[in-house]
Amino acid sequence: MPRTPYIAANWKMNKTVAEASEFVDALLPRIAATQNDVVICPPFTALAEVVQRRYGTAVKVAAQNMHEEDSGAFTGEVSAAMLVELDVEAVILGHSERRQLFGESDEALARKVPAALAADLEPILCVGESEAARDGGQTEEVLERQLQADLAGVDGADLAKVVIAYEPIWAIGTGKVATPKQAQEACAYIRDVVGMRGAARDELRVLYGGSVKPGSAAELLALPDVDGALVGGAALDPEDFAAIVEAAG
Ligand code: PEP
């Protein structure tokens, strides 16, 4: 069965509640006919509003982070149960901004991914190499290390429930998009690594993320091992994001 294209909008720390509702109202009529999975990842403060506005549509809502524990003395954090209570369906884990700016470790991710799955939240796990690692020929080594560590606590049978986003750090927010060859090779490699751990290889969805724009989306999304996109900058504008959803076919 072909994999349904998966297009996710990572708003990062952008959009107030008012701006989020304006976006959703503008987006929904533009994507009304799509059969693709469309996911919006607002900041925590706008989750409830986006959930409310998308009821009755196929749009899913994801958080951008969560803590692995159910509750406790973790000031500033939210748990999987708190997200599920809002009808949030997915969560981005391991975004490179969280790894680089907030010290998110592979050890924490090894606990977060199973915690999300246990709560029926779809994890969107981000992995990707730095520019220095790519230049040094270590892309595959970095990807394998992250995947093995972050997915260590997930049973083989559950691995295909994790959406993996290949996000080369050098391409995020830089305007430097990976070439189709680079994106295809890395996404195929990810499918192989997770497949070898027991995932249903053909069901696993692997996204590309890094400066995807309406003009570059179609070529990337047509690649055999690229099943969708995680979009940052271009997902702040409903017209651009709708164009990327449409480019996925
Ligand atoms: C991201 O934030 O995951 C991302 C890919 O950002 P951008 O599209 O702006 O590079």
Side-chain angles (χ1 to χ4, degrees):
M1 221 178 48
R3 297 180 290 270
T4 305
Y6 191 107
I7 312 295
N10 177 17
W11 286 352
K12 314 191 187 201
M13 196 177 72
N14 291 293
K15 295 198 188 292
T16 61
V17 172
E19 290 164 346
S21 34
E22 212 177 294
F23 177 102
V24 177
D25 289 351
L27 177 73
L28 290 177
R30 289 177 160 88
I31 60 160
T34 191
Q35 300 294 311
N36 299 334
D37 281 348
V38 178
V39 184
I40 300 178
C41 318
F44 287 130
T45 47
L47 282 170
E49 178 71 17
V50 176
V51 165
Q52 291 298 324
R53 295 219 166 225
R54 70 75 216 255
Y55 278 134
T57 77
V59 170
K60 292 203 284 191
V61 181
Q64 299 173 17
N65 183 31
M66 59 162 236
H67 196 276
E68 63 271 27
E69 297 293 338
D70 292 340
S71 60
F74 303 106
T75 301
E77 295 289 322
V78 305
S79 70
M82 292 168 186
L83 299 174
V84 170
E85 187 188 30
L86 291 182
D87 280 352
V88 167
E89 291 116 327
V91 59
I92 298 176
L93 295 174
H95 191 282
S96 64
E97 285 152 17
R98 294 220 56 86
R99 292 180 192 256
Q100 292 191 306
L101 304 174
F102 303 102
E104 174 126 284
S105 65
D106 287 320
E107 291 71 29
L109 288 164
R111 294 191 296 271
K112 287 186 181 199
V113 178
L117 288 170
D120 266 340
L121 279 177
E122 180 171 75
I124 306 169
L125 174 67
C126 302
V127 294
E129 80 288 359
S130 65
E131 188 148 44
R134 176 158 283 274
D135 292 347
Q138 292 156 341
T139 298
E140 293 191 350
E141 193 183 315
V142 170
L143 295 177
E144 175 162 18
R145 192 177 60 233
Q146 290 177 332
L147 290 166
Q148 299 292 11
D150 302 348
L151 296 172
V154 182
D155 290 340
D158 285 338
L159 281 169
K161 295 181 187 162
V162 182
V163 175
I164 313 278
Y166 168 58
E167 295 221 307
I169 297 169
W170 47 270
I172 297 178
T174 58
K176 245 200 242 179
V177 66
T179 65
K181 183 171 182 291
Q182 289 169 328
Q184 167 57 27
E185 281 176 1
C187 290
Y189 181 72
I190 288 169
R191 193 180 307 285
D192 285 344
V193 170
V194 184
M196 268 183 301
R197 283 243 11 246
R201 211 182 166 283
D202 293 339
E203 285 171 28
L204 183 72
R205 282 191 289 179
V206 185
L207 319 181
Y208 167 77
S211 297
V212 175
K213 305 285 179 230
S216 57
E219 192 177 19
L220 289 161
L221 292 167
L223 296 166
D225 281 292
V226 175
D227 304 317
L230 181 54
V231 187
L236 294 173
D237 178 275
E239 212 156 302
D240 284 353
F241 185 62
I244 294 170
V245 172
E246 203 176 313

